[in-house]
Structure formats: structure tokens, C-alpha cells
Amino acid sequence: MALENSLSTDVLVIGGGMAGAWAALGAVRTGARVTLVDKGYCGTSGVTATAGPGHWWVPPAEREQAVRQRAANAGGLAEAPWMRRIIETTWEHLPTLARHYRFAVDSNGRTIFKALRGPEYMKALRAMLNEAGVTVLDHHPALELLRDDQGRVAGAAGLRRVDQQPWRISAGAVVLASGGCAFLSKLLGADNNTGDGLLMAAEVGAELSGMEFSNFYTVAPACSSMTRAMSYVFARYFDAQGRELDIPAGPGTMPALALALERGPVSCSLDRMPQDLRDALPTISPNVMLPFTRHGIDPFRDRFEIVLRGEGTVRGIGGLRVADDECQTTVPGLFVAGDAASRERVAGAVSGGGSINSAWALSSGLWAGAGAARHAREHGATRGPLEAAGELSLRTGHATRAAPDEATLARIVRELQTPMLHPMQILFRQQQALTQASELLEGHWQELQQRAPAEGALRLKARQTAAMVACARWVTLAAQTRRESRGMHTRSDLPHTDPAQTHRLSVGGLHKLWIRPHAVVQPSRVAA
């Protein structure tokens, strides 16, 4: 689609995954003009499009029990009103997909809303966006936010991948739905999830929270990036000598697997999966069997080598701090949805997995979109010149070194992946390793500061690299500061939970990082 150098809209949504699509729908249903920009193609990019996402789908009579159970496992950091809120919003809005999505039915003819087929889900959302009149600009990655003379976020700028030409869109408000940061771990569908939105938001002063809870891992065949976890509930694991390992099901699985993999190769068999689930698997997750078929493996009979893929903040908790009921960040005019937002309010200190995270993506998208539209109406069209807020890899005031080339960027990414993705460093955190990681990451940040701005096709890659370094610094600082083990965050040198640390950690800053405790406050009223 052709695009002039400069456009205007009421609400600009950055990101075209599940949360971004719902955010655009939430805004356009209020009568706002909405533009959505996606780094990839809205409808196929992001982690939902390759998955079989479940939702936290709870009938009314069961909701209080579900909330109590979740709160009991949330490390004291979740809020019951917000959990009730996402359950209700999901229950109300997920069925509206039916115009464009064929829901499955069970043997009794009842519609199954809880589990969806990711590719068809995203195709349906794209059709709903087109039907609602949302302007969708594919392959238009955003590089930086724009703000007005009042400090409000009022648009964004980026480039068109087809010709590397710049674009600039002014807006009454912006919704960041750009996903989390998986540090290019080969998590399926997550190559676009490099934390770009988190960096852009920090450049305008937004706060992050929950970054220490960013250490989720998924089992995958060593021959593939197929990180769909449901099948591994039935897995048996074996060492290099073929001896079955005593790997517990549940929260202890990943640490036990990490220790086993540290000793040598680990293989897996799915022979305990019931036959009815084997038969249903192609419908539930149609792509799961493809890598096995390509490599001539029958996972229900053969053993296959496995690895652990880190998911960073994608199925972790951390992201931009949600400051109000409409999912506005701590910066006026900037709203956030999905994996770009901290999910502590609904998931606490333990990942919501697909269920809660998917319900959060839908709900926060709708709330943020409607909130952004309200903000745009109240503050009117932007006036006067807008300031571009981007720094690293876009404009460097005191460059002393040449712009980074492909090899330099690849080296930085490779070196930050060790402290961010190696299971032994992330699942068994301890002070010495965290200090070493901090020193390494500060060195990378300073190097990028010294480099001249990237040019051409490398602008996006340089910006993504800067975002990953920024996210890694926030994660490391939060992990150092939480001097206890709580939920997902495990310190091998501090294995106990400290009741005095039942608070969240807000973190931010770019060249000089800061961190402070943030109380868990049960709001007096949270509207559904």
C-alpha cells in the first residue's frame, strides 16, 4: 500500500498481533479513526499466528474459585479485581469472532471457546479490522515515538520495509502492542519480538515492571523451533545412555531439564499421550507434527533430542507498567496492551501461560484502544511540531565510532544471548553471574552510544539490537534487586521468599538505570 511521508489519525496502534488487533477494534468501535502499523503482516506475524492459543474462559459460577486458585500461586503480586475483569471481558468479546471464525464444538454440540486455532484466529481478526475500517499498514516497523510540546505521546515514525523510506504518523494517542522480547531465541513466531516498543516507551520516560519475572522456557525438538508446549505434559525424558530421568511434572520440570541438559544430551518420548489427544493434535495445533514428519520421527514411538527455548518477556511477566484502568502507561497519551505490558496485575509472579496471557491480550487490547480513543477526543488533534524521541541507533550526539555493520550487530546479539537465554544462568540466578551480565551489557550499551547512526536496511536491525540490550539491562537490574526467590524468579543464592519484598519493582532509564519498589494496591473500584 502506498503511503505518503506523513499521515494523521486519532489512534495509532503499533503491532499487529492479537493484542494490537483487539486494540484497534476497541478504538474504532468508539468512532475513532484508527491506523495500525505492523513490523510484519498483520494476521500472520507474532506468536499467536503459529499457536493454538487458549483463553482464560471461565463460566460465571466458577470464577471466584478460579481467581482464588490463581491468586494463591501469584506470589502476592496479582490483584483479584483485575483477574475478574479479564475473565468477564474475554467471556463477552471472544464469541464476537464467530462472524469470521468457525468455533469447534464438543461431542454434545456445545461451542468450544476456550481453545482456538491461531492461524485462523489471526485471519479472523484481520477480517474484522478490514470490516471495521481500520487502516492497516503491513511491513511498516515503528522506530520511535513522537511527542508534543506538553510531553504527550502524539504519534510515531518508522520505515517501510519495501523501499526503506521513512514514514511519520501523528496521532491523538498511541497504543503499544509490539510484543515482548524473546532475544531472538528461535521461539516460534517471535523473531519480531525484540522489545522495540519497550525501548521506544522508555525513551519518552515510561516505567517498566516485573522484568525479573522473564525467565519462561519451553521444550522443543532440537531439530526445530516448534515451541508448542502442550504435548510435553505427557513427555518422558532420557539421558545419553537411554536411562529414564526422574523429571517432575509441573513447576520443577524446567529446572530439572536444565540440570540434565547441562550434563549431556536429553531425548524425549511422547508415548504416554492418550490416543484421543494424538488424534486431535492436528486440529488443536496443526503445525506441531510438521517438523517430526520432515525428519522422519514418530514422537509417539521414537525418542528425539530436545532443547529449551527461552521466551524472555513473551510468556514471562515483565513489560511496561500499567498505570490506570485503561492501560495507559506512566506517560500521557501512551497506552499499552498484550505482551508489551506487565501482566503482574493478572498473573502475579508466575507466567499466565497461554490461558491468562491470551485473555490479557484480548482484554488489555480492548481497554487500551478505547482509552486511547477517549484520550484523543479529549485532547484533540496534535498542534505544532512534534519531537522525535528516539536515540540509540537513530541519532547519536557524540559518535566516536563508525556506524555498526552486520557483523557488529550479530556479535552483540550473540553475546547478550548467553546471560539472557542460557537456562543455568536464568533458572538458577546468583549474584556473581548477574554482576558479570550487568558489566557485559553496560559495555554493549556504551558501544552503541559511541556508534554513528545506522543507515539503510541496517536501521531496523540496529534498533532491534539496541532494544534487546535495553531489555536485558532492565531484566538484570530487576533480578539483582529482588534479593529473594518468588514465583518464576529463582535466586540459587537466596532460595527463600521474603515477606518484606511483597512488592513490585518499577524500573526504567536508558543511560542511567533506576529501580524502586512499587506497592501492590487493591483498587477501590475497577470497572468491568
Side-chain angles (χ1 to χ4, degrees), residues 60 108 112 322 370 482:
N108 296 315
I112 300 173
V322 173
R482 187 169 289 283

Side-chain angles (χ1 to χ4, degrees), residues 53-305:
H55 285 67
W56 205 14
W57 182 260
V58 187
E62 302 172 15
R63 289 178 186 172
E64 284 308 304
Q65 181 182 0
V67 169
R68 284 194 299 270
Q69 289 177 340
R70 181 66 205 184
N73 297 317
L77 302 187
E79 298 174 19
W82 280 77
M83 288 189 271
R84 297 187 190 103
R85 193 181 178 208
I86 68 166
I87 291 173
E88 176 60 34
T89 300
T90 302
W91 183 268
E92 178 183 354
H93 290 275
L94 189 59
T96 64
L97 285 171
R99 282 175 51 80
H100 298 281
Y101 179 93
R102 181 179 294 179
F103 287 97
V105 295
D106 64 17
S107 57
N108 296 315
R110 292 173 298 198
T111 302
I112 300 173
F113 291 108
K114 185 174 183 178
L116 289 86
R117 303 173 298 278
E120 295 168 51
Y121 187 179
M122 289 308 304
K123 181 180 179 181
L125 285 173
R126 176 69 183 241
M128 292 170 71
L129 295 176
N130 293 339
E131 185 178 73
V134 174
T135 299
V136 178
L137 303 175
D138 300 304
H139 307 296
H140 282 67
L143 297 179
E144 60 185 330
L145 295 173
L146 308 175
R147 55 190 166 192
D148 63 17
D149 57 5
Q150 302 297 311
R152 289 191 295 263
V153 170
L159 59 84
R160 298 181 296 206
R161 300 184 84 158
V162 65
D163 57 9
Q164 302 301 316
Q165 292 301 304
W167 58 260
R168 182 181 177 97
I169 300 175
S170 62
V174 173
V175 179
L176 272 175
S178 51
C181 183
F183 302 105
L184 296 180
S185 66
K186 294 188 170 65
L187 172 66
L188 188 64
D191 266 9
N192 278 358
N193 293 161
T194 48
D196 310 9
L198 307 187
L199 174 59
M200 288 188 281
E203 287 172 332
V204 296
E207 299 179 11
L208 300 99
S209 184
M211 296 301 283
E212 69 271 35
F213 306 117
S214 302
N215 50 348
F216 196 95
Y217 283 85
T218 299
V219 179
C223 63
S224 165
S225 61
M226 183 56 65
T227 47
R228 302 275 73 89
M230 185 271 289
S231 300
Y232 295 92
V233 172
F234 307 100
R236 291 194 298 147
Y237 300 100
F238 304 85
D239 65 14
Q241 287 71 47
R243 295 174 298 219
E244 185 169 357
L245 299 168
D246 183 18
I247 302 290
T253 299
M254 294 304 140
L257 277 176
L259 290 169
L261 285 163
E262 190 71 4
R263 295 189 293 268
V266 174
S267 60
C268 174
S269 172
L270 301 179
D271 59 358
R272 294 193 302 192
M273 182 182 287
Q275 189 60 49
D276 60 337
L277 284 180
R278 298 185 195 185
D279 295 340
L281 190 59
T283 299
I284 299 170
S285 295
N287 51 6
V288 165
M289 293 299 294
L290 292 178
F292 294 121
T293 301
R294 288 180 182 141
H295 289 85
I297 298 169
D298 179 351
F300 309 118
R301 182 191 63 196
D302 305 328
R303 296 177 188 174
F304 54 95
E305 191 173 340

Side-chain angles (χ1 to χ4, degrees), residues 437-472:
S438 178
E439 293 171 353
L440 172 74
L441 296 166
E442 287 303 317
H444 288 324
W445 186 261
Q446 290 175 20
E447 177 178 352
L448 290 173
Q449 279 186 285
Q450 296 165 2
R451 294 279 184 178
E455 298 180 356
L458 276 184
R459 292 182 72 206
L460 176 58
K461 185 167 287 189
R463 192 66 170 154
Q464 291 178 154
T465 302
M468 285 187 280
V469 174
C471 289

Side-chain angles (χ1 to χ4, degrees), residues 302-322:
D302 305 328
R303 296 177 188 174
F304 54 95
E305 191 173 340
I306 59 99
V307 294
L308 298 182
R309 302 281 187 204
E311 301 205 20
T313 72
V314 172
R315 274 215 292 184
I317 303 296
L320 295 169
R321 184 162 80 82
V322 173

